[in-house]
Each structure stands twice: as structure tokens, then as C-alpha cells.
Amino acid sequence: MSLLSIRNLTKRFGGLTAVNKVSFDVEEGAIVGLIGPNGAGKTTVFNLITGNYRPDEGDILFAGTSIKALRTHKIVSMGIARTFQTIRLFQKVSVLENVLAGRHCRMKAGLVAGMLKTPFEKKEEREALRYCVEELEFVGLKGQESQVADSLSYGNQRLLEIARALASEPKLLILDEPAGGMNEQETEALVGLIGKLKGRGLTILLIEHDMSLVMRACEHLVVLEYGCKIAEGPPETVKNDPKVIEAYLGAD
Amino acid sequence: MMNEKYKLFLYSAFALILATAPLYLNSYWVDVLNSVGLYAILALSLNIILGDAGLYNMGHAAFFAVGAYTAAYLNTQFGLPILWALPVSGIVAGIAGLLVARPVVHLRGDYLLIVTVGVGEILRIALINDVFGLTGGPNGIFGIDRPVLFGFKIRKPQEFFYLIWGFVAVTIFLFYRLKNSRFGRALDYLREDMTAAEGSGIDTGRYQLYAFMVGAAWAGMAGTLYASKMSIISPESFSFWESVLIFIIVILGGSGNIAGVLLGTFLIIGLPEAFRGFANARMWFFGLAMMLMMIFRTEGILPHRPRVFKSLDRQRP
């Protein structure tokens, strides 16, 4: 059974069909790239998976359970975490507090425990802090815990989003253009980071326009155009697929 | 850190001056401080909703009224001692907060503000019209008992001072801890970016409701203290202007910052008393000061700061 299974997914915005009967599977431990020209519906697929939009037709199965009707925070607690195409950090709070946001769904202390600072609450806070510092170290932001998020460079903000997603201990990590706005060195480091994530046993689904990154990092590609899936397979096959070449370069 | 020590010294000095104030101030000024204390509780409670969670609530006086009327009714009809009524009116006001917030809390800032203004006005008019014969109409409810603490009846302003500011101290203690907990952080995330908060796994809808519930419950308890201090309450004490005042205190003092909110309360409630001699000129000055603030320091006098995690330094070798 695949970790994530997209079945005949359709989403319409008024008269526009943004996603049209798209089906694909993401196997556990795989790194899958979702590519296609601008406006192909890639981010819409992501928003459907994470519950930001509701599909009009079709289903989304995560580890065999339908998640299409669940709210986003519920989907996160089931094990799907994401980053955003346009960075959506909590700009005015510290780097560490940003990561703690991702840890939230794995913690339990509520209103009363917070007011009374029960031993359970203190222990949980300590463990959460330690976990989040480790995730920051993992993505390479150690030592910047106390900085305000919007003071980080663009590339580091992207890494912080990944750390925040990782703090929720996801099984599936969804990255929406993780290399967007990164320079060559940062992109290189990102490829390394994606490899390390795979080493941790994470399954990754990513959208990316940087083809060199996609070709190196992904094992499997799904190509969308005008909301429809036009090709799927290993990078080498997809790269030489006439329909894909036509979609990217245009027909004669 | 030097700065921390300095802060601690400043706060202790302030607490000491305040705690001994009834010894050298006359009853009039102690009463002004009592008023400041009550508004401080109200502003701190609104701060959870407005400052921390970023929800524009300009009908906070409604919850203050619910608490005051609950306590007054239970005390005058059933003889429930005022301090026993304190938790009850907190719970009733908290439930009122939940009921009000449930259908409207998802509204965007300005829309929510208009709805809460409406709720406040509906409640005030309902109180005037003596709905279900509970509220005593325009005259309100009178003959509310003074609080009795360990057999000691609290009567004089000096005695009320310690009751009210004792409650403020407990509120600060609990709210400070709450702010530095999982709950407090969740409210920060809501305020900063709702979509990102939900996407990080936070049940945003639930936390919005919780914020309203806690804020309303505390305003309700402030209402109980107010009712027992005045021994008579009427709808005019819970006008729209009260909601506006509490709102201004939070925005001007510093949304999301407990010290800022306290400072704001002293400035907005205390200062006009100090300049009473200048009659109307003080309001003129006041309005001007507020306008300048909003132009040059929009985040308030003492704004919210990112948390410092002390244990973090300990973890690092």
C-alpha cells in the first residue's frame, strides 16, 4: 500500500478546472517530484492534500485512510507537514518559537497546565525545546534560535520552514518550491538536506522549477499541465517524453 | 543578563510602592487606584483576546456586565457570598464568551469588531429592558453585599485596594505563566498568520474560542469585584465607552505585553484623574497623545517581544 494515494482528484474554481482527474501514488520512503509549467495546478494539488481546499471529486488516501474531509491541523497531526511556496513563517517571533509551532500537535499541556506550570507541563516544554533545537541543528540553523524570523536570509527562512515542518514528526513532507529564491550554493546544500531527510526515512513530495535539483533529488516524477497528469515515471524517462517536452517548450 | 536584573528591580520597586500606597494616600486616591486595578484586570483579560490572539473585540464590557450581574443576582436573591460568586460569574461569563464567539470568531478583524460592538449594545439594552425580570431595568440591582474574607468584612477603599490588587497580582502571575506555555504560543501563531498556524498543526478555531473564553471569564470576575465594591450596578456602568477604553488601554500600552497593558491602564485611567484640575484640556491632551502614539509607535508603548528560553542556554555547553 502506498503512503499517499491520490485518486481522480478534481478541483474547480468557478469555470476553471484547476486539477482534473489527477491520480498518482507516493510510495513510502520515496522522493517524488510534482512538476509542470506555471499554472498547471501543482500548488492546488498540495493545498488539496493538506486540507486548505476541499476536492470536488476524487479522494486522497493517507496510509489507507481518506483525509479529504479533514481539517488541516488534523492532517498535520496524522503525519503530513508542508512548507509554503511563498514563505509563511511567523515573522515577528523568534526562530525557535517558529519551530515550536510545529511541535505543538505532539504536545498535550492545555490551559490549566499552562497556568499552573505542572511538573508534566515543565517536562514537556523541556523536551519540546530540546527536540526543536535538534531540528534547527539538523537543517543548519543552530545558534540562531533567538533571532526574529524575518531577520533571517531568504534561504535560511526556507530552511526554518522545513525545521518547523519536521518538528511535527511527519511521515510525509510536502515541499512547495523549496529552492525558490535560493542561490546555487544554498540549492546545493538543499539537495544534501533532502538526501539526509530520506536517510531519516521520510517520504517527500516536492514541487520545484529548478530542473537540476529535480533530476538529482527525485526518484519519481509526476508531470501536470492544465490540471491534467500528462506523464509519470523516473526522471530519465519523463525528461525524454515528447508530451513533457511539448508542455515545457511548446509545440512546433 | 543585566537588563533582566534591572527589570526585576524596577518591577519590585513598583510593586512595593503600590503595596504601601494606602498608607500614605488619602481615600480618594486609593479609590482611584482601585479603579485602575479593576481596569487592569479587564485590560489584561482583553489582552488575551486582542493582544495575544489578535481578535478585535470591542464589546468586552458585555462580559464584565455578565459577571457583575451574575454575582449581583446570586448575592441579592440567594444570599450567595460575593467571593463565592466570583468563580460562578467567571464560569457564566466564560460560557457567554464561548456562545458569542462561536458563530463569529472566524470573521476577519474589522468585521469581528463590528459584531462585538453589536453584542455589547444588545446586552446593554437587554439589561435596561429588564429581560426575564432578572436585571432590575435601568435602576439595576442594589444592596449587593460587601465581600467577607476569612470573617473580615471588606468595606473601606483601603481594604478593597488589597482585594482588587491581590486579584490583579494573581491574574498577572497566572497570565504570565499562560503566555509562556504551549497555549500562549498558540495564540501568538494565530495572531501572526492564521493559515501558517493551521498548517503547522494548530487547531486555530479551537484556540480562538479558548482565548475568548478565558478573556470573558476574567472580565466576569472583574465584574464581581466591581459589583461588590459599588454595592449597586446599573446598565450605564457597562456602556460602549467602557469597551472602547479597555480596547485603547491594550492597544496603547502594548498588545500582548503584560507590563505594557498595566502601564497603559495607569496612563488611561490614572492620569486623567491626576490632571482633573485642567478640566477639559486634559481630554484634548489625551486625544493628541493617543494620535501621536498611533503614528509613531503603532505597536504600543511596551510591545510584545519574542520569548527568551532560559533553559536553552543551560542546554548548551
Side-chain angles (χ1 to χ4, degrees):
Chain A
M1 188 180 59
S2 320
L3 183 63
L4 181 75
S5 184
I6 308 282
R7 306 235 173 111
N8 275 317
L9 201 62
T10 301
K11 177 69 186 174
R12 298 184 199 92
F13 295 110
L16 175 81
T17 306
V19 178
N20 193 359
K21 294 195 172 62
V22 169
S23 300
F24 64 89
D25 286 335
V26 178
E27 302 301 326
E28 186 149 8
I31 300 182
V32 176
L34 188 60
I35 62 169
N38 285 330
K42 306 181 293 292
T43 298
T44 306
V45 170
F46 276 16
N47 282 331
L48 288 165
I49 296 171
T50 55
N52 293 68
Y53 298 149
R54 297 267 164 263
D56 291 314
E57 282 162 42
D59 206 351
I60 304 161
L61 302 178
F62 181 65
T65 316
S66 174
I67 56 167
K68 69 169 179 181
L70 297 178
R71 288 176 57 201
T72 303
H73 68 89
K74 192 78 195 137
I75 293 171
V76 176
S77 68
M78 284 181 75
I80 301 181
R82 73 171 295 179
T83 66
F84 293 87
Q85 183 179 7
T86 49
I87 294 175
R88 294 198 85 139
L89 289 168
F90 307 108
Q91 297 288 349
K92 299 288 171 212
V93 306
S94 74
V95 166
L96 185 58
E97 284 173 289
N98 267 281
V99 187
L100 279 165
R103 197 69 197 149
H104 184 93
C105 65
R106 299 288 169 239
M107 297 167 74
K108 290 195 175 65
L111 178 64
V112 178
M115 275 192 183
L116 301 179
K117 287 271 168 215
T118 56
F120 168 78
E121 197 267 0
K122 283 186 188 169
K123 182 163 172 275
E124 190 185 63
E125 284 285 307
R126 261 200 315 276
E127 283 169 2
L129 276 184
R130 192 179 314 132
Y131 193 91
C132 292
V133 171
E134 277 170 20
E135 290 298 1
L136 277 172
E137 193 172 351
F138 181 82
V139 300
L141 290 176
K142 191 178 162 66
Q144 313 205 39
E145 291 90 354
S146 314
Q147 290 204 37
V148 178
D150 67 358
S151 71
L152 294 184
S153 71
Y154 205 73
N156 281 349
Q157 290 194 18
R158 289 235 177 254
L159 293 179
L160 177 54
E161 264 207 326
I162 294 176
R164 181 175 70 186
L166 287 175
S168 68
E169 290 182 66
K171 294 190 195 81
L172 173 66
L173 184 62
I174 296 183
L175 306 173
D176 198 343
E177 290 193 34
M182 282 187 173
N183 62 31
E184 246 172 74
Q185 284 159 314
E186 286 169 331
T187 306
E188 204 54 45
L190 181 69
V191 174
L193 181 65
I194 291 173
K196 268 164 66 188
L197 288 169
K198 186 182 162 60
R200 276 171 62 164
L202 263 95
T203 309
I204 298 171
L205 176 61
L206 62 86
I207 294 177
E208 188 48 67
H209 282 297
D210 185 330
M211 280 305 138
S212 75
L213 183 147
V214 170
M215 292 298 159
R216 276 182 299 161
C218 299
E219 300 150 356
H220 189 87
L221 294 181
V222 176
V223 191
L224 294 185
E225 192 194 15
Y226 299 121
C228 300
K229 186 174 86 176
I230 57 167
E232 181 177 1
E236 283 310 313
T237 325
V238 166
K239 199 161 77 175
N240 299 318
D241 189 313
K243 275 165 103 179
V244 177
I245 297 169
E246 191 185 309
Y248 272 91
L249 301 176
D252 296 325
Chain B
M1 219 158 74
M2 196 59 218
N3 195 13
E4 287 295 307
K5 271 185 189 160
Y6 172 71
K7 246 191 198 166
L8 190 69
F9 173 75
L10 203 70
Y11 289 159
S12 328
F14 174 76
L16 194 70
I17 292 170
L18 194 66
T20 53
L23 301 177
Y24 48 81
L25 290 179
N26 62 26
S27 291
Y28 173 77
W29 279 106
V30 171
D31 214 41
V32 169
L33 284 178
N34 287 348
S35 194
V36 171
L38 279 172
Y39 275 103
I41 301 167
L42 287 171
L44 286 170
S45 69
L46 180 65
N47 185 39
I48 300 260
I49 302 170
L50 172 65
D52 291 335
L55 301 166
Y56 288 4
N57 168 17
M58 212 189 253
H60 206 51
F63 306 122
F64 182 42
V66 168
Y69 271 89
T70 304
Y73 186 77
L74 292 176
N75 178 254
T76 53
Q77 297 294 314
F78 303 106
L80 185 74
I82 272 297
L83 291 180
W84 283 96
L86 195 67
V88 180
S89 48
I91 291 166
V92 172
I95 292 170
L98 277 182
L99 291 178
V100 167
R102 185 67 194 82
V104 299
V105 82
H106 60 277
L107 294 175
R108 233 186 52 213
D110 34 8
Y111 296 102
L112 181 62
L113 188 135
I114 291 167
V115 171
T116 53
V117 169
V119 168
E121 280 303 279
I122 288 170
L123 186 80
R124 191 179 62 84
I125 292 164
L127 292 177
I128 294 174
N129 286 322
D130 197 8
V131 272
F132 311 124
L134 294 174
T135 69
N139 298 327
I141 300 177
F142 42 86
I144 303 159
D145 284 338
R146 300 299 194 185
V148 179
L149 196 60
F150 306 118
F152 179 78
K153 198 165 193 178
I154 296 168
R155 253 184 276 256
K156 284 191 284 186
Q158 281 81 355
E159 294 156 5
F160 264 106
F161 176 88
Y162 288 106
L163 178 69
I164 290 169
W165 281 96
F167 196 81
V168 175
V170 171
T171 304
I172 293 170
F173 179 74
L174 293 177
F175 281 13
Y176 179 77
R177 286 163 158 247
L178 190 63
K179 193 168 175 55
N180 291 295
S181 73
R182 173 174 177 261
F183 185 95
R185 284 196 302 270
L187 299 188
D188 275 2
Y189 304 140
L190 297 193
R191 183 193 61 229
E192 288 283 319
D193 186 335
M194 199 70 87
T195 308
E198 183 76 25
S200 304
I202 289 149
D203 189 344
T204 50
R206 178 190 293 203
Y207 275 96
Q208 287 177 319
L209 287 181
Y210 280 176
F212 251 94
M213 186 186 70
V214 176
W218 241 266
M221 290 195 274
T224 306
L225 294 179
Y226 176 79
S228 73
K229 175 173 170 281
M230 303 309 285
S231 88
I232 169 168
I233 53 167
S234 63
E236 68 194 54
S237 309
F238 310 100
S239 64
F240 175 58
W241 176 243
E242 298 300 319
S243 295
V244 174
L245 262 185
I246 308 164
F247 194 94
I248 292 173
I249 290 171
V250 174
I251 297 290
L252 191 83
S255 305
N257 184 322
I258 291 175
V261 170
L262 286 175
L263 181 64
T265 315
F266 272 94
L267 293 178
I268 302 271
I269 307 300
L271 268 194
E273 288 299 329
F275 292 107
R276 222 170 232 302
F278 299 96
N280 285 332
R282 74 198 162 109
M283 291 321 270
W284 186 89
F285 172 78
F286 212 60
L288 189 71
M290 233 176 279
M291 283 162 68
L292 289 174
M293 275 286 302
M294 286 301 101
I295 294 167
F296 294 109
R297 201 173 166 89
T298 47
E299 69 273 39
I301 303 171
L302 297 175
H304 169 81
R305 296 258 178 256
R307 290 174 187 76
V308 179
F309 294 93
K310 292 198 183 86
S311 58
L312 201 63
D313 301 318
R314 248 183 278 136
Q315 278 171 14
R316 266 194 229 114

